């Protein structure tokens, strides 16, 4: 969709190595003339991508950083990256059957986790609940559908005619899934409009804190 920018960063000075855990984030320095801006973004690519990292960034809200990324940044420009940071990553070995829940670019951290998990192999049941307003906002859909062992559920607020997936809200989908399988651990990532309604549902259902992991974006 036009409000999302996928940024591929290749190392100019490769770290030896750049170790990160799938699900972590980096701090990106944007050299905007007159006022450098710093933004935090989840890494969307798996750790096995050694030549750089991929970021999936929501740029619809405008602002100086968004304009720089969409109008001024050019191939070959050099950006400074710090990190990695964050605790939103699976235990190793994986000791539960996770349910991932997200909307929009909240899929970034989860995509990294899923690609890494299935590259390494797992016998665990892994579910993804991904909600969007329109079908073209289901980021990385084909790639995620191709992962053997992943059970994705696509949820649209405004589905097209003939839509065979889910409808409604992410929070409602989480409620339905946990009503059927109350023992699952839930991993939620995204902005407050994604995380807060899901967190409310989890609280209403009495899901213990040790079965909830949240990555809340600014």
């Amino acid at each position: 969709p036009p409000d999302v920018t996928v940024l591929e960063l290749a190392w100019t000075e490769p770290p030896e190595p750049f170790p990160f855990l799938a699900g972590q984030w980096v701090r990106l320095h944007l050299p905007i003339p007159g006022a450098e801006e710093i933004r935090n973004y989840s890494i969307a690519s798996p750790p096995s991508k050694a030549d750089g990292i991929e970021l999936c960034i929501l740029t619809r809200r405008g602002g100086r950083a968004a304009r720089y990324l969409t109008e001024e940044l050019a191939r070959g420009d050099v950006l400074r990256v710090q990190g990695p940071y964050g605790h939103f990553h699976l235990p190793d070995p994986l000791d539960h059957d996770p349910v991932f829940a997200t909307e929009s670019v909240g899929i970034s951290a989860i995509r990294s986790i899923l690609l890494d998990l299935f590259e390494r192999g797992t016998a665990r049941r892994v579910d993804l609940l991904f909600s969007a307003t329109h079908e073209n906002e289901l980021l990385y859909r084909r790639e995620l559908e191709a992962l053997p062992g992943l059970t994705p559920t696509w949820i649209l607020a405004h589905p097209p005619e003939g839509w065979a997936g889910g409808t409604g809200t992410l929070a409602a989908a989480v409620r339905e899934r946990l009503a059927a399988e109350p023992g699952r651990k839930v991993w939620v990532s995204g902005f407050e409009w994604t995380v807060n309604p899901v967190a409310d549902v989890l609280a209403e259902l009495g899901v213990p804190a040790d079965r909830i992991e949240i990555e809340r974006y600014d």
Side-chain angles (χ1 to χ4, degrees), residues 126-186:
V126 185
D127 289 10
L128 170 65
L129 306 178
F130 193 166
S131 177
T133 302
H134 302 287
E135 190 173 5
N136 71 332
E137 297 169 353
L138 295 170
L139 304 170
Y140 301 112
R141 181 181 176 187
R142 289 184 180 178
E143 176 187 59
L144 295 171
E145 286 181 335
L147 291 178
L150 177 66
T151 303
T153 299
W154 313 106
I155 305 147
L156 295 182
H158 299 293
E161 185 176 353
W163 171 251
T167 59
T169 67
L170 182 64
V174 169
R175 182 190 298 278
E176 181 179 353
R177 183 59 51 91
L178 291 187
E181 301 176 272
R184 302 290 293 276
K185 183 170 182 175
V186 183

Side-chain angles (χ1 to χ4, degrees), residues 75-99:
R75 185 180 298 273
D77 287 352
V78 177
L79 303 177
R80 185 158 68 95
V81 174
Q82 289 180 296
Y85 307 103
H87 304 285
F88 189 77
H89 52 80
L90 293 176
D92 187 14
L94 181 58
D95 57 2
H96 62 278
D97 297 335
V99 175

Side-chain angles (χ1 to χ4, degrees), residues 20-134:
F20 71 92
L21 298 174
Q24 290 189 304
W25 54 273
V26 293
R27 184 166 288 134
L28 187 65
H29 293 251
L30 304 178
I32 297 173
E36 179 186 73
E37 296 206 16
I38 301 172
R39 294 289 185 271
N40 301 331
Y41 299 117
S42 290
I43 303 171
S45 48
S48 60
K49 179 178 167 57
D51 59 345
I53 56 175
E54 180 177 323
L55 308 176
C56 185
I57 302 169
L58 185 67
T59 47
R60 74 176 180 210
R61 293 189 292 179
R64 190 67 187 90
R67 290 197 302 274
Y68 174 80
L69 289 169
T70 57
E71 300 173 12
E72 301 170 33
L73 183 64
R75 185 180 298 273
D77 287 352
V78 177
L79 303 177
R80 185 158 68 95
V81 174
Q82 289 180 296
Y85 307 103
H87 304 285
F88 189 77
H89 52 80
L90 293 176
D92 187 14
L94 181 58
D95 57 2
H96 62 278
D97 297 335
V99 175
F100 294 96
T102 193
E103 294 176 316
S104 185
V105 296
I107 192 61
S108 297
I110 291 174
R111 178 197 185 227
S112 178
I113 290 171
L114 292 175
L115 292 180
D116 179 60
L117 179 63
F118 287 106
E119 282 176 5
R120 292 185 291 111
T122 181
R124 291 288 183 176
R125 178 180 174 189
V126 185
D127 289 10
L128 170 65
L129 306 178
F130 193 166
S131 177
T133 302
H134 302 287

Side-chain angles (χ1 to χ4, degrees), residues 171 174 186 188 192 194-207 212 214 216:
V174 169
V186 183
V188 191
E192 61 179 10
T194 296
V195 171
N196 290 354
V198 173
D200 289 344
V201 164
L202 297 175
E204 292 169 13
L205 294 175
V207 178
I212 302 171
I214 291 179
R216 190 188 308 269

